Amino acid sequence: MTFTTRPTLQGTFGMVSSTHWLASASAMAVLEDGGNAFDAAVAAGFVLQVVEPHLNGPAGEVPVILAPAGGPVRVLCGQGPAPRGATVEHYTSLGLDLVPGTGPLAAAVPGAFDAWATLLRDHGTRELADVLGYAIGYAERGHPAVPQVGATVERVRGLFETEWTTSAELYLPGGRSPAPGALLRNPVLAATWRRLLDEARAAGSGREGRIEAARKVWREGFIAEALADFAARPAMDTSGERHAGTLTGDDIASWSAGYEEPVTYDWHGWTVCKAGPWSQGPVLLQQLALLEGLPEDGPAYGTGEYVHTLIEASKLAFADREAWYGDAEGAGTVPLEDLLGAAYTARRRALIGEEASHELRPGSPGGRVPRLAAHAAGAAARAGGPAAGTGEPTVARDGATSGDTCHLDVVDRWGNMVSATPSGGWLQSSPVIPSLGFPLGTRLQMAWLEPGLPNTLTPGRRPRTTLTPSLALRGGEPVLAFGTPGGDQQDQWQAHFLLAVALREPVRGGPDLQGAIDAPNWHHEGFPGSFWPRAMRPGAVTVESRIGEEVIGELRRRGHLVTVGGPWTEGRLCAVARDPETGVLSAAANPRGMQGYAVGR
């Protein structure tokens, strides 16, 4: 019998899992009120912007994978592109060799609001005012602050007090950061949403008409005006200088969220669906392709050899990400067919040896010659010491970046399923816009300032994002939605989770979701991080201490540079599942950080 921190929830009505209990409870309230999974997801997404302001915000971004009951799986892209003025020449003329990790110069076109509104319009059943009401209530009346909100504010206290004074007004009232459990309010944000809803009601008729009117208010009305005005004001960033951004009202007005086909890979009866190579999503698929030998003739689950094999496969997949992934619309076709092809994968699999590799080794799909950014190619020479940039950014005392983001999954009694990873627009990303109550995002920091690369900063092109929700099918039926915060670590933790679900015994006739989430996890840092300052640590692996001395010793014997972390430090996974034959729904959430929660019945 497997002992877990919590039970895997099971029922038949609806299941929600997210990285904050108030978001999960709000989504469940929508389901109880007759809404579907998409209504519930939108409500949870807006609540996360309020209760996890250090992890996401209204001007951030969100990729969504959705499976409507009886319909095809689709990806909804809520990642906005680089503004028209965001050229390599502009940034290098400022003396920069990397896009700053904070400040308006790092702002892409905000994508989260338009994506949530589009999802609600096309697949939901509720009014925007209904699903947004939960977030408005928490912003207006307050919510108990989680410890990391105050901890994040303390790390940037000096910046807020001397430079980003509009942020200090909201998050350092009276000079005090939010104490754990103290009510944290954002009345300006509540007023922003109320004004948007009022203007939408006046301009639109019918549910869809009012949602469309709200989208127009965001993209062309008072919100767009405030975003563009504030982006033009110079602010201190990680370069140590004050820079204005390039985002304009025209940039905001000309972009909207859109649907795409998912990229898929079939693995031992599972069909795993991910966003395209403008995200890092195909990295998970490449890892599965490299691990085709599991479970029949691979090492036993959980052994040192097993962990070593997963780490080495992940290194190869992430090296390919660095050389080949980017926004295909702007960079030409990313060779995904070759990257996931059997012949190419077999050649790459042969590189997995008995010893740990300390090299960044991209492949040559279809005979193409890989090219890395000069900064990435030289990162190994600069490596050493703690890595910065493997997680979603929070500004640390030394200017480095690390941290997390958010995630949510929902499945309802009709079989609708959705997975989303909202992020960006953190309180520590850029100064708060005083008339709106939230800051701009900083996703452009993920693009390179070197011409000719798949992820070169290019106007109109999406910066390659680490945000990567997942959805899996069996027999053509959606059965599992999952994901995690964690920047570059997301598809490492998700690969281990999915394999744990697939290779371990089920519980009570359903998948052992909680056991797979609770299982000791790890991450490696053998590639340039996606966030400023783009560091890497060749050969470095961090494991949870619960993994055991035998596995730790085996990894070290094979040449891995192992850091033993705390027992519950790796991953913040969420998951929901549905058995198409019985209709039984399942859910589980990560216990790490004492914040994620699953609810359902």
Side-chain angles (χ1 to χ4, degrees), residues 362-381:
S364 300
R368 302 168 181 85
V369 178
R371 179 184 170 192
L372 297 170
H375 184 94

Side-chain angles (χ1 to χ4, degrees), residues 134-195:
Y134 299 89
I136 292 173
Y138 287 124
E140 205 164 51
R141 295 186 293 275
H143 59 92
V146 295
Q148 283 304 312
V149 173
T152 300
V153 173
E154 280 301 310
R155 285 196 290 270
V156 292
R157 172 184 284 273
L159 179 66
F160 279 16
E161 291 178 334
T162 60
E163 295 284 347
W164 297 5
T165 55
T166 57
S167 298
E169 291 171 7
L170 177 58
Y171 291 108
L172 284 168
R176 295 185 299 275
S177 60
L183 282 183
L184 178 60
R185 296 181 174 89
N186 191 340
V188 176
L189 176 58
T192 296
W193 291 140
R194 289 193 183 280
R195 180 178 173 185

Side-chain angles (χ1 to χ4, degrees), residues 2-150:
T2 301
F3 292 93
T4 58
T5 57
R6 307 165 180 176
T8 294
L9 304 184
Q10 290 188 309
T12 56
F13 180 81
M15 291 284 165
V16 181
S17 180
S18 87
T19 49
H20 196 290
W21 61 85
L22 291 179
S24 296
S26 299
M28 195 65 201
V30 173
L31 294 180
E32 295 284 5
D33 194 44
N36 66 19
F38 308 113
D39 298 313
V42 175
F46 283 122
V47 169
L48 286 172
Q49 294 173 0
V50 177
V51 301
E52 292 190 325
H54 59 307
L55 305 178
N56 77 140
E61 47 274 328
V62 58
V64 182
I65 300 185
L66 59 144
V73 177
R74 289 288 182 268
V75 171
L76 175 59
C77 175
Q79 173 60 64
R84 290 183 179 89
T87 64
V88 168
E89 292 75 19
H90 174 65
Y91 285 67
T92 56
S93 74
L94 299 173
L96 299 171
D97 60 354
L98 292 175
V99 177
T102 60
L105 197 57
V109 176
F113 179 83
D114 199 65
W116 289 127
T118 298
L119 181 65
L120 184 69
R121 180 197 66 190
D122 296 341
H123 298 282
T125 65
R126 292 298 190 256
E127 292 279 353
L128 178 60
D130 295 333
V131 297
L132 191 50
Y134 299 89
I136 292 173
Y138 287 124
E140 205 164 51
R141 295 186 293 275
H143 59 92
V146 295
Q148 283 304 312
V149 173

Side-chain angles (χ1 to χ4, degrees), residues 361-424:
R361 300 181 291 176
S364 300
R368 302 168 181 85
V369 178
R371 179 184 170 192
L372 297 170
H375 184 94
R382 296 188 300 274
T390 52
E392 298 292 314
T394 46
V395 181
R397 291 184 180 90
D398 61 358
T401 57
S402 62
D404 259 323
T405 181
C406 307
H407 186 79
L408 65 93
D409 302 301
V410 188
V411 61
D412 63 28
R413 63 190 184 274
W414 300 289
N416 299 302
M417 186 176 286
V418 59
S419 181
T421 310
S423 188

Side-chain angles (χ1 to χ4, degrees), residues 547-571:
I547 205 169
E549 289 298 329
E550 183 176 344
V551 172
I552 293 169
E554 176 67 10
L555 292 176
R556 285 175 170 159
R557 187 187 69 78
R558 290 172 179 266
H560 297 279
L561 307 178
V562 180
T563 297
V564 181
W568 298 94
T569 51
E570 294 289 314

